[in-house]
Amino acid sequence: MNHSGKFLLSLILAPSMVLMGCGSDSASDDNNIGSSSSSESSNESSSSSESSDESSSFSSSESSDESSSSSSSESGESVFMLYDNSAATLLLADGVENILVAEASAEIGGSFVHEPLDINDGEDTVWDIQLHAPSNAYLTTGDMSEYDGVENGIKFTNMAESGALEFELRVLVVEEATELLIRMDSGWPNASMLPLELPETGQWTSISIPLADLQPNGANEVNFDEVINPFVIQASAGMAHVQLNDIRITCPEEAECSVDPVPSNEALTDNLYIFEDAVDPTWDDGVLFYNSPESGEHSFSVVADSDDADNDVLQIEFGPDGNWNSTMYIRSSTPKDLSAFADGHVVFDIKVVNAGSNTGAFVMKAEGGGENPGADHDLTVATDGAWETKTIAISELGILDMTAVDVPFSLWPAAGTQGGVVFQLDNIRWELAE
């Protein structure tokens, strides 16, 4: 999975950020080198090639040994430093350290130069970046393999609604047509981003972006429980030479935010129920729908089985317009390792209560990993109002990564035949091979 080398193909929403004024503590205007062109950078001889795989990096170990955990600002905020004169080392729970690394990469046709640069008589070391689109520079999380039970990445606890990404920015040179984005991601394409409104050149400016204002990358977005690249500055057009420092996440103290390790995905090795009287808590996002906009409202409910009043079943109702392709799925916010089920089966009971415009054509799916996480599996379902049991080999579902299954079950009437369909489900489960 490429964490940095992909670029947004279309424009996203207008910027939603705060320019907090000029003059940060990271540098003084008395040492302003902002009027220089990119060719006047102190490391011109190290400019990158234009290879699509071109990248370079430096970490805090190459510039300072400072570590960063939560601190409190004068305004009563929790502050988590990501870059403070160097890429920071985050102190997580249970004595776990995550050493961030500053990196950059370019697609074919793009290039970059990035380096730590001492200014202000050595009192500040800024991150000096030149980007020729398409290219980006980013802070990425370190290798966590030395810790048992911990995956790569950082869990940003309680930050999705309350946190803000803040940093000090000085624009030295920028072409008129330049488009810069600020991004946070869990590995492409699971990214959220916002266009950067460029301030006046040559002046240090404080930028604050509420994390809740970051916009998804199409159908994908950052997972704050598993952030891989907590800061990305991306040139999707033009050229820019900028400097950055004091990159941080802030959060009101009352929100009880924290940075935590990402726990390893423990393999599940027992027969696994998804629904039996209720959705199993393992699948904490519950029942969801992807709705084509024109398809009308869909709904679900847990109702008593008309054949057994002591048994609760899951009832799915599709909207009245059957000319579109909407899906129902059950999901977990954290992927599960279901590799033990590779030779097993998905089993479930289904009863069509109202066939509507459907003649028995259904589609089933499960998903795990990547941009194409699973394949559609066609089913024929009886429409006579009687219960029947379906058994599908998991090997037929084309799940990309069995160690990262987040959607164990998805089922919907075939496209164009969804209008007014009502069906019930029970005993949805994954069974191990015998």
Side-chain angles (χ1 to χ4, degrees):
M1 191 179 296
N2 188 334
H3 294 159
S4 61
K6 302 292 185 181
F7 299 92
L8 190 67
L9 298 180
S10 60
L11 293 178
I12 56 179
L13 300 181
S16 176
M17 60 183 69
V18 179
L19 302 180
M20 301 174 66
C22 301
S24 77
D25 294 334
S26 61
S28 73
D29 290 334
D30 293 336
N31 293 276
N32 186 358
I33 61 173
S35 61
S36 65
S37 69
S38 59
S39 63
E40 295 167 6
S41 165
S42 63
N43 193 25
E44 179 64 21
S45 61
S46 65
S47 62
S48 72
S49 73
E50 297 181 18
S51 165
S52 62
D53 295 327
E54 183 68 22
S55 65
S56 69
S57 66
F58 61 89
S59 68
S60 59
S61 62
E62 296 171 324
S63 49
S64 81
D65 294 326
E66 293 186 5
S67 298
S68 172
S69 58
S70 173
S71 62
S72 296
S73 68
E74 294 180 359
S75 60
E77 292 180 320
S78 297
V79 180
F80 305 88
M81 296 303 301
L82 305 179
Y83 189 102
D84 181 15
N85 294 317
S86 69
T89 296
L90 287 168
L91 304 180
L92 312 182
D94 303 321
V96 174
E97 292 186 350
N98 195 315
I99 303 173
L100 300 181
V101 181
E103 297 190 348
S105 67
E107 292 281 293
I108 294 174
S111 65
F112 61 84
V113 177
H114 80 121
E115 60 175 345
L117 180 65
D118 288 336
I119 61 174
N120 201 22
D121 295 328
E123 293 183 14
D124 296 286
T125 302
V126 300
W127 189 10
D128 189 82
I129 302 168
Q130 300 175 52
L131 296 175
H132 293 259
S135 60
N136 59 33
Y138 55 102
L139 296 174
T140 190
T141 54
D143 181 5
M144 305 300 289
S145 59
E146 66 179 279
Y147 296 101
D148 293 334
V150 175
E151 296 284 348
N152 288 346
I154 305 169
K155 181 178 181 181
F156 283 177
T157 302
N158 296 334
M159 294 190 188
E161 297 300 325
S162 302
L165 176 62
E166 300 184 353
F167 53 95
E168 310 305 312
L169 171 70
R170 178 160 62 175
V171 178
L172 303 182
V173 179
V174 62
E175 291 181 349
E176 184 175 353
T178 298
E179 296 176 359
L180 295 181
L181 300 172
I182 298 299
R183 192 178 92 205
M184 182 180 292
D185 67 62
S186 300
W188 191 267
N190 300 313
S192 298
M193 61 197 78
L194 209 63
L196 178 61
E197 182 179 337
L198 294 177
E200 181 181 352
T201 59
Q203 300 294 320
W204 281 104
T205 304
S206 296
I207 307 293
S208 180
I209 304 173
L211 297 184
D213 289 351
L214 295 174
Q215 300 299 312
N217 177 33
N220 303 289
E221 60 185 358
V222 64
N223 176 7
F224 287 102
D225 288 337
E226 191 174 357
V227 175
I228 301 297
N229 300 313
F231 180 86
V232 183
I233 183 168
Q234 172 179 312
S236 56
M239 172 272 173
H241 183 184
V242 302
Q243 292 176 340
L244 294 161
N245 206 358
D246 297 339
I247 305 171
R248 59 207 182 270
I249 303 292
T250 63
C251 196
E253 287 189 347
E254 60 268 22
E256 298 183 348
C257 298
S258 61
V259 288
D260 300 303
V262 177
S264 293
N265 191 8
E266 183 178 354
L268 302 178
T269 57
D270 294 324
N271 287 339
L272 183 65
Y273 267 85
I274 300 164
F275 182 94
E276 185 183 32
D277 291 324
V279 176
D280 190 273
T282 302
W283 313 103
D284 57 331
D285 281 347
V287 180
L288 302 168
F289 289 91
Y290 167 75
N291 292 327
S292 295
E294 300 86 349
S295 63
E297 292 298 322
H298 310 317
S299 64
F300 74 92
S301 56
V302 177
V303 301
D305 182 2
S306 60
D307 298 327
D308 181 0
D310 293 328
N311 182 46
D312 288 337
V313 299
L314 178 61
Q315 180 162 296
I316 307 296
E317 300 185 38
F318 276 72
D321 189 337
N323 296 322
W324 303 94
N325 186 20
S326 299
T327 64
M328 179 281 299
Y329 56 102
I330 298 173
R331 188 177 68 185
S332 170
S333 62
T334 55
K336 309 301 178 186
D337 184 349
L338 302 185
S339 53
F341 293 83
D343 296 322
H345 297 84
V346 178
V347 184
F348 61 96
D349 301 327
I350 183 169
K351 177 171 70 174
V352 176
V353 177
N354 185 343
S357 60
N358 187 271
T359 58
F362 276 66
V363 183
M364 187 255 170
K365 189 176 186 179
E367 297 183 350
E371 295 184 59
N372 299 295
D376 293 352
H377 183 84
D378 295 332
L379 293 175
T380 300
V381 176
T383 58
D384 57 3
W387 284 103
E388 62 175 321
T389 299
K390 293 293 184 181
T391 301
I392 298 97
I394 291 169
S395 60
E396 296 178 4
L397 299 179
I399 299 173
L400 182 64
D401 186 354
M402 288 287 292
T403 69
V405 176
D406 59 347
V407 177
F409 186 81
S410 180
L411 186 72
W412 64 94
T417 67
Q418 298 183 344
V421 176
V422 180
F423 60 94
Q424 295 178 347
L425 298 164
D426 199 11
N427 301 316
I428 309 172
R429 58 201 185 272
W430 281 40
E431 294 184 349
L432 295 164
E434 296 182 356

